[in-house]
Amino acid sequence: MAQTYAAEVSGLYDTPATKPSATVVGGRLRRFRATVTLASQADGDTVVLAKIPAGHSFAYGVLTGSATLGSSTIAIGVAGTAGKYRAAATHTAIVATMFGISSAADDAPLTAEETVILTNTTAALPSSGTLVVDLYFSAP
């Protein structure tokens, strides 16, 4: 039977062997928490969630709301790429919900500090409640 190797460990089996990036293999997972008070933020408004230092690699995110966001759609990303980490979509659950786009999770480590924002892309957010956004990145 054929055997293949995951991209992160394939170098371990080369001659000479190369070590995988410590940001994705054996790195430390770090949480960046952002608690957003919902206050009827309008369509097009943004909320700054976190500043991520250079050298970090995105793993995943978790949304936890005390209230449904109804028909509002939110994207999580950066200026110029609003949906880098979460494409614009509704969030109606009031339980922890994981998110992450594979193209962000397989990116190379950040080469510069990055400001992560939440962008409201449709109807206003609810007038009350709380949305907690946990962003998980790994770094050596």
Side-chain angles (χ1 to χ4, degrees):
M1 301 189 116
Q3 182 173 10
T4 59
Y5 299 95
E8 294 79 9
V9 298
S10 64
L12 295 172
Y13 300 92
D14 290 344
T15 303
T18 57
K19 292 184 178 183
S21 169
T23 61
V24 292
V25 176
R28 294 179 181 191
L29 196 59
R30 295 186 171 114
R31 177 179 66 179
F32 297 85
R33 172 163 279 182
T35 303
V36 179
T37 300
L38 301 173
S40 301
Q41 290 90 338
D43 176 15
D45 285 359
T46 61
V47 178
V48 174
L49 301 176
K51 280 193 172 192
I52 310 300
H56 284 64
S57 292
F58 179 73
Y60 60 93
V62 179
L63 293 173
T64 309
S66 67
T68 176
L69 300 184
S71 61
S72 301
T73 61
I74 59 170
I76 297 175
V78 297
T81 310
K84 180 176 181 179
Y85 298 118
R86 181 185 192 267
T90 58
H91 179 68
T92 56
I94 55 171
V95 296
T97 305
M98 292 182 71
F99 69 86
I101 296 177
S102 64
S103 60
D106 66 5
D107 281 353
L110 298 175
T111 57
E113 180 180 83
E114 184 174 86
T115 299
V116 179
I117 58 174
L118 176 148
T119 303
N120 183 20
T121 62
T122 58
L125 294 175
S127 60
S128 64
T130 303
L131 178 66
V132 177
V133 182
D134 285 318
L135 301 165
Y136 291 87
F137 284 77
S138 60

